[in-house]
Amino acid sequence: MNAETSRTTGTADTAPRSTNPPARDVVRREWFLTRLSWHLQDHPGREAKQIVRDLRGELTSAAADVGMRQAVRDLGHPLVLAEGYRAHLGRRVPRWTAGAVAAGLAVAFLVYLGFAYAFGTLDTLEALGGGTVTRYPFGAETVFTSGADGIAVESTFTWQGVVIFVLVAAVAFVLGSRAWRALG
Amino acid sequence: MSPTARDPQLLKGVLPMLVLLLLAEHESYGYELVTRLQADGLDDIAPGTVYPVLTRLEREGLVASRLVPSSSGPARKYYRPTPDGDAELASSLRGWTALSATVRAVVHRAPVPTTEESS
């Protein structure tokens, strides 16, 4: 049995004391672990959570000796530390979070294109003196109206439009996450 | 670079063996293991170098861990070699002994270049 165990199983005067670190240390530790978690997204989820859990304990232990600031500093940059873990992983795994971000950005870009197209069409109609025109952006029948009463855009729901959005999101997700790494 | 500066790549190759060796002496939690390595002469080794090694050794079943309540913080995770870890350590030591003998023989035979700084 090691000394640590002996202390904790000893008499009342050696019983564990309150061990909550100061709030500032907790914030410093959790901020580091949050950044590390982002960079650990290459890891299988269960192992990444275990790494963060272990490091939380190690940081708190080290902080008792050298202070939380130094304990965090000793771990270096979270990106470099995550790369250290990744190097010991021995294989490459998908980056699902990056894939989700890429898919979100791709969909947002399509929405932006839709709005740009709509405002461009309405501007053109207004420059021509107003009127109504029907177009099919992303396969959806859309009626643009511009007149003295104001402007209007009416669009219908089509499966073709949904397929385009889903397809673009899927391609961005696959490329962004390097999903093929899951195959081998 | 100082004349005694260590090549990180050299250390990287033997660190798992050193970790297993120290844990075979007696179990340790991560930060304690770092301080033991530093006390043994690797004074520039960082926790960020050691923790990934511990994680890999545990994933590969070469070390086992247990949580031990601590009087100065949260429960600490103590590591010790498993039987597979002992076998790996023995194998690593054999490999290291053979390699270091070869390196020593070559180093002793070859002339050591001198530099301005060391002269």
Side-chain angles (χ1 to χ4, degrees), chain A residues 104-122:
Chain A
L105 288 174
V107 169
F109 184 65
L110 276 187
V111 171
Y112 167 78
L113 283 182
F115 273 100
Y117 183 87
F119 281 111
T121 304
L122 290 171

Side-chain angles (χ1 to χ4, degrees), chain A residues 37-154:
Chain A
S37 297
W38 167 256
H39 294 302
L40 277 177
Q41 59 173 298
D42 274 9
H43 268 69
R46 190 180 302 171
E47 182 170 317
K49 284 178 186 161
Q50 186 62 47
I51 288 170
V52 170
R53 202 175 304 133
D54 289 349
L55 279 180
R56 182 174 288 116
E58 296 293 354
L59 277 172
T60 310
S61 296
D65 290 343
V66 296
M68 188 62 78
R69 181 190 293 272
Q70 185 61 41
V72 168
R73 189 180 294 141
D74 285 346
L75 286 180
H77 194 284
L79 172 62
V80 177
L81 181 60
E83 283 173 351
Y85 279 106
R86 189 156 44 243
H88 285 281
L89 197 56
R91 61 192 167 90
R92 298 192 302 173
V93 291
R95 310 188 62 169
W96 301 123
T97 309
V101 170
L105 288 174
V107 169
F109 184 65
L110 276 187
V111 171
Y112 167 78
L113 283 182
F115 273 100
Y117 183 87
F119 281 111
T121 304
L122 290 171
D123 273 350
T124 305
L125 275 178
E126 189 180 5
L128 293 174
T132 298
V133 66
T134 302
R135 288 289 180 269
Y136 300 88
F138 304 129
E141 182 178 294
T142 307
V143 179
F144 300 90
T145 305
S146 177
D149 298 336
I151 58 173
V153 178
E154 270 184 88

Side-chain angles (χ1 to χ4, degrees), chain B residues 104 106-115 118:
Chain B
R104 200 178 304 117
V106 174
V107 167
H108 285 173
R109 193 183 65 230
V112 179
T114 55
T115 63
S118 60

Side-chain angles (χ1 to χ4, degrees), chain B residues 36-55:
Chain B
R36 289 176 66 195
L37 286 164
Q38 290 170 339
D40 282 334
L42 298 175
D43 44 7
D44 56 350
I45 198 163
T49 306
V50 179
Y51 294 159
V53 173
L54 276 174
T55 300

Side-chain angles (χ1 to χ4, degrees), chain B residues 24-83:
Chain B
E25 283 180 2
H26 66 80
E27 63 177 2
S28 286
Y29 58 94
Y31 185 71
E32 183 187 44
L33 183 64
V34 174
T35 58
R36 289 176 66 195
L37 286 164
Q38 290 170 339
D40 282 334
L42 298 175
D43 44 7
D44 56 350
I45 198 163
T49 306
V50 179
Y51 294 159
V53 173
L54 276 174
T55 300
R56 176 167 73 85
L57 293 175
E58 187 175 31
R59 183 177 58 241
E60 293 176 351
L62 301 179
V63 299
S65 63
R66 67 187 182 104
L67 287 175
V68 177
S70 165
S71 60
S72 60
R76 287 169 173 167
K77 194 173 180 181
Y78 277 77
Y79 298 89
R80 67 182 186 286
T82 61

